[in-house]
Amino acid sequence: MQHGRLLFCSVMDADKQSYGQFFQGTGRSFPTAHGHVVEASVASHCVASVQALGLTTGVFDLDVRFSPQCGVRILEVNARMGGGSVQRMHQHVYGMDLVELHLQTCMGISVGHVAHMHPLEPSMCYEAGWVESPYSGKVSGIGIDAFAERLRSMFREHPHVLEFVPLCDDGDAINGYKVPGLPSSLIMVFAKGAEKSFARKHLAGALCAAEERIADLVEPDAPLAPKVTSSVDAVVTAAVGTAMICAAAALTHPLLFEQVMSPKRRNAPADCASIQPFEALEASAELMPSPVPSPAYPALAVVR
C-alpha cells in the first residue's frame, strides 16, 4: 500500500505442522488451492483489516485461516513483510523484491508499477519447503555453504528445482525433528511445476536428497543407532522411507502430513539413500493415499 491506496495483493497457502506444544510452518504454495472466489474473499478481508488499523504505507503480512464452515478468519496483521519463504517466493513468482518495495514506499518513492505486475510464468505452480535433520546436533561437516552448493550441483540439470537457501551458520546447535521440541530449519528449497502435484514432487525429491546426505552436515549429539541388517528390518525401513517421501510430497495436506509423520513413524529408522529422488516418487505415487481435505492457512502480502 502507498498513501492509503492498495497497489498489489497476493494470496498463498501456508502449511502448518504441530510438534507437541509447538506449531511451525512446513511449506508454502502458490497459487492458492482454494480457487478465485476464496482468494478474492481472503484478499478483501485482509485489505479491510489493514485499513481498519489505519495502516497506509508499506508492505504488510497477514495470517488467515479459512474453512468452508467458518469462512475467513484473520489471525494476525503484521506491519512488515512476511517471514520465512515469503520474500523469495515473490521473487520467483513475480520478480519483485518486497524489501526494496517496502523501503521505496517509506521513502515516498512511487511504486505504482506493482499494480500491473503478474506472475512471470502464469501456468506454473510453486512450492517452498525446509530441509530438517532427523536428529539433533551441530552444524559442522563440510559446512552449510558447501552442503547447499552440493545440492545445487545435484539439481543443476533439473530446472524445476529453483533454489537452495542456507538458513543457519556453521557451528550452530540444531534440533532434529525426531526429538522433542521445535525442529531447526537448515535450508530453504523452492521448486515449480506445471501442476501443483508436479511442483510438490520436485520439492519432495530435493528435500529427500538433502536428508539422505544430512550426515555430511550435522554432527549428532549422540551416536546414531546402527543401520538395519536383517531382511525383515530392511523391508520395514524401505516402507518407512517411502512414507517419508510421500509425506514430503504432500506438504500442502497438513492432516495427511501429520498422519504419515506421526511420532510412532518418525521414531522408526528411515533410509532412502539407495533410491533416486524423482524415480522413487514416481514409483511410490500409486501407494500414496488420497489427499485428506483440510483447511489452509493463506499468508497475504499486501503492498501499497
Side-chain angles (χ1 to χ4, degrees):
M1 296 183 72
Q2 191 166 39
H3 307 310
R5 187 164 66 97
L6 177 69
L7 298 177
F8 175 85
C9 176
S10 69
V11 178
M12 300 183 184
D13 293 342
D15 306 312
K16 304 292 184 179
Q17 170 71 14
S18 173
Y19 297 90
Q21 62 178 329
F22 299 101
F23 198 59
Q24 175 169 281
T26 56
R28 197 173 301 277
S29 178
F30 177 90
T32 175
H34 296 281
H36 296 302
V37 174
V38 172
E39 181 178 12
S41 177
V42 169
S44 63
H45 278 78
C46 289
V47 172
S49 298
V50 170
Q51 293 173 335
L53 292 173
L55 302 173
T56 62
T57 297
V59 176
F60 305 106
D61 176 77
L62 287 84
D63 287 350
V64 176
R65 179 164 184 167
F66 167 80
S67 71
Q69 296 78 20
C70 301
V72 178
R73 293 293 183 268
I74 304 294
L75 301 182
E76 59 183 65
V77 179
N78 302 286
R80 56 162 175 78
M81 176 191 74
S85 59
V86 170
Q87 193 233 1
R88 295 272 186 168
M89 184 68 93
H90 279 78
Q91 286 181 325
H92 287 299
V93 176
Y94 295 100
M96 65 169 55
D97 187 334
L98 294 179
V99 174
E100 182 179 281
L101 286 172
H102 184 73
L103 292 174
Q104 289 175 331
T105 59
C106 292
M107 294 173 64
I109 300 173
S110 175
V111 294
H113 65 283
V114 301
H116 308 287
M117 296 188 76
H118 301 283
L120 301 176
E121 298 180 274
S123 62
M124 282 292 175
C125 299
Y126 296 80
E127 297 284 332
W130 290 266
V131 174
E132 298 172 348
S133 171
Y135 53 84
S136 298
K138 183 173 68 174
V139 177
S140 56
I142 64 174
I144 186 66
D145 291 330
F147 188 78
E149 185 55 38
R150 176 182 293 182
L151 294 173
R152 295 185 192 109
S153 298
M154 288 177 57
F155 290 91
R156 209 175 300 280
E157 302 303 318
H158 295 282
H160 292 94
V161 177
L162 302 174
E163 189 177 21
F164 294 89
V165 184
L167 299 176
C168 58
D169 295 315
D170 294 343
D172 283 357
I174 63 101
N175 202 51
Y177 65 71
K178 286 188 177 181
V179 299
L182 192 65
S184 303
S185 298
L186 308 180
I187 295 176
M188 188 160 50
V189 185
F190 295 87
K192 67 178 180 179
E195 297 178 9
K196 279 189 176 294
S197 60
F198 296 157
R200 293 169 194 156
K201 287 183 179 181
H202 296 313
L203 175 64
L207 294 177
C208 187
E211 184 168 332
E212 290 168 1
R213 295 157 179 81
I214 206 69
D216 295 335
L217 176 66
V218 179
E219 178 184 350
D221 287 337
L224 300 178
K227 290 185 178 293
V228 295
T229 54
S230 73
S231 58
V232 175
D233 285 345
V235 172
V236 174
T237 298
V240 175
T242 300
M244 292 185 70
I245 298 174
C246 293
L251 284 175
T252 52
H253 299 288
L255 295 182
L256 174 61
F257 188 88
E258 189 165 359
Q259 289 172 6
V260 177
M261 300 294 279
S262 65
K264 181 177 179 181
R265 293 199 180 188
R266 292 177 68 138
N267 290 332
D271 179 13
C272 46
S274 61
I275 346 178
Q276 294 299 318
F278 292 100
E279 286 77 357
L281 283 164
E282 293 297 333
S284 64
E286 63 182 15
L287 302 177
M288 292 181 63
S290 301
V292 179
S294 59
Y297 304 82
L300 181 77
V302 182
V303 181
R304 280 191 178 178

